[in-house]
Amino acid sequence: MLTGATGGLGRAIAEALAARGAKLILSARKADALEQMAAELPGEGHRAIPCDLGRPGAAEELAAEAGEVDILLANAGLPGSGRLPEFSSEQLVKALRVNLESPILLARALEPQMLERGSGHMVFISSLSGKSATPLSSVYNATKFGLRGFALGLRADLDRLGIGVSLVSPGTIREAGMYADTGADPIPGLGTSSPKEVADAVVKAIQRNKVEIAVAPIQQRFLAHFALASPAVSVKVASGDSGQKAASNVANGQLDKR
Ligand SMILES: NC(=O)c1ccc[n+]([C@@H]2O[C@H](COP(=O)([O-])OP(=O)(O)OC[C@H]3O[C@@H](n4cnc5c(N)ncnc54)[C@H](OP(=O)(O)O)[C@@H]3O)[C@@H](O)[C@H]2O)c1
């Protein structure tokens, strides 16, 4: 079951898994786009379940309607960018619910059936923003740091019980998705990755039960690890003039996804 199936990364993940014979349950809000994807993906038996994960109770309803799920791909996400006071209460709750609460609720709903079968895998699409904080991203950082902590803790609980739990953490992704949709120029020298690289990482995470795969050029991965080790220095550097300008270009291009 793939959430956020209609998005830039969701489509790439769906194609990679369908090409390997997976029977997909595709979810997002756009019902027509989901039905079209289900019909056009390679293989047979794909299903579309439209669902607004910003609504209370929606994650539990999605899990119940899905029935038997071998692999959860918690991918749906909102950019959650901008200064905190600019968020309405509804926007704030929605970002927290879609990015963090829903993956946790889906995992809780699906864990018992996986334990009963003695097999299953959960992949959480986090971000390098789950390791490294940047300007105009406090809400997004909160959800992705939280998702990373949740997935690692869940893995500690489920590893010995035969259920895989993985994090896939993309950096800046070109061509499609919430960053590319802004039209902002990537930060010079830091490079980008493609949606296909994210999809390949998802496949690898499942096949090899990887704890975490960062999908980003080495410069971005180094900065994210540095940020974990030295948050004070990292935040100081990231919040300088050029960091503020880059973040502002991205956040302005994501207002329609708040
Ligand atoms: N693109 C990047 O550079 C990048 C980098 C790091 C991490 N990520 C992470 O990768 C994941 C996918 O992002 P993306 O780049 O593919 O973004 P995207 O193109 O904006 O797609 C977001 C997906 O989430 C779904 N979604 C949004 N609000 C929803 C809601 N209320 N209920 C249910 N589904 C909802 C959207 O579908 P509908 O609009 O049809 O509902 C869409 O399928 C996210 O978790 C994101 O944080 C992306």
Side-chain angles (χ1 to χ4, degrees):
M1 177 164 76
L2 172 65
T3 67
T6 55
L9 305 195
R11 284 177 186 275
I13 294 167
E15 279 164 22
L17 293 173
R20 286 164 177 82
K23 204 185 279 185
L24 288 158
I25 297 168
L26 305 162
S27 189
R29 287 167 303 180
K30 297 188 197 82
D32 292 349
L34 287 174
E35 291 293 351
Q36 194 179 344
M37 277 182 79
E40 289 176 0
L41 282 171
E44 286 179 3
H46 308 302
R47 289 162 63 198
I49 307 184
C51 175
D52 180 355
L53 290 171
R55 201 172 47 74
E60 289 93 333
E61 288 169 26
L62 172 59
E65 197 174 340
E68 197 170 308
V69 172
D70 297 316
I71 301 172
L72 167 65
L73 295 141
N75 165 68
L78 292 171
S81 51
R83 289 270 295 111
L84 185 59
E86 293 165 4
F87 281 75
S88 68
S89 300
E90 291 73 22
Q91 289 170 339
L92 190 54
V93 167
K94 187 164 79 162
L96 296 173
R97 189 171 281 143
V98 173
N99 289 17
L100 181 60
E101 185 184 290
S102 292
I104 295 174
L105 291 173
L106 285 170
R108 184 185 66 166
L110 297 175
E111 183 186 313
Q113 53 160 287
M114 291 185 182
L115 285 176
E116 205 170 304
R117 289 193 299 271
S119 69
H121 205 112
M122 306 194 205
V123 181
F124 298 93
I125 308 297
S126 180
S127 167
L128 291 190
S129 297
K131 299 179 178 183
S132 157
T134 47
L136 304 180
S137 292
S138 61
V139 175
Y140 190 64
N141 283 140
T143 62
K144 295 300 184 178
F145 272 67
L147 189 62
R148 184 164 187 269
F150 170 70
L152 294 176
L154 190 65
R155 184 170 173 112
D157 287 337
L158 296 183
D159 206 26
R160 288 149 52 105
L161 302 175
I163 313 299
V165 178
S166 303
L167 275 160
V168 171
S169 301
T172 308
I173 304 299
R174 62 178 179 271
E175 295 165 20
M178 61 172 65
Y179 184 91
D181 288 350
T182 67
D185 290 329
I187 297 176
L190 290 188
T192 58
S193 305
S194 68
K196 183 177 178 305
E197 285 175 273
V198 177
D200 290 344
V202 167
V203 172
K204 188 170 159 188
I206 297 165
Q207 286 177 335
R208 303 197 199 160
N209 192 16
K210 300 291 269 184
V211 178
E212 180 170 23
I213 302 180
V215 186
I218 191 153
Q219 313 87 288
Q220 289 187 36
R221 284 183 278 135
F222 171 79
L223 288 173
H225 277 266
F226 179 75
L228 285 174
S230 302
V233 179
S234 170
V235 167
K236 193 92 182 153
V237 172
S239 56
D241 285 348
S242 55
Q244 295 282 356
K245 190 164 171 250
S248 172
N249 288 340
V250 174
N252 287 336
Q254 292 176 329
L255 285 172
D256 58 329
K257 292 192 184 183
R258 201 183 277 171

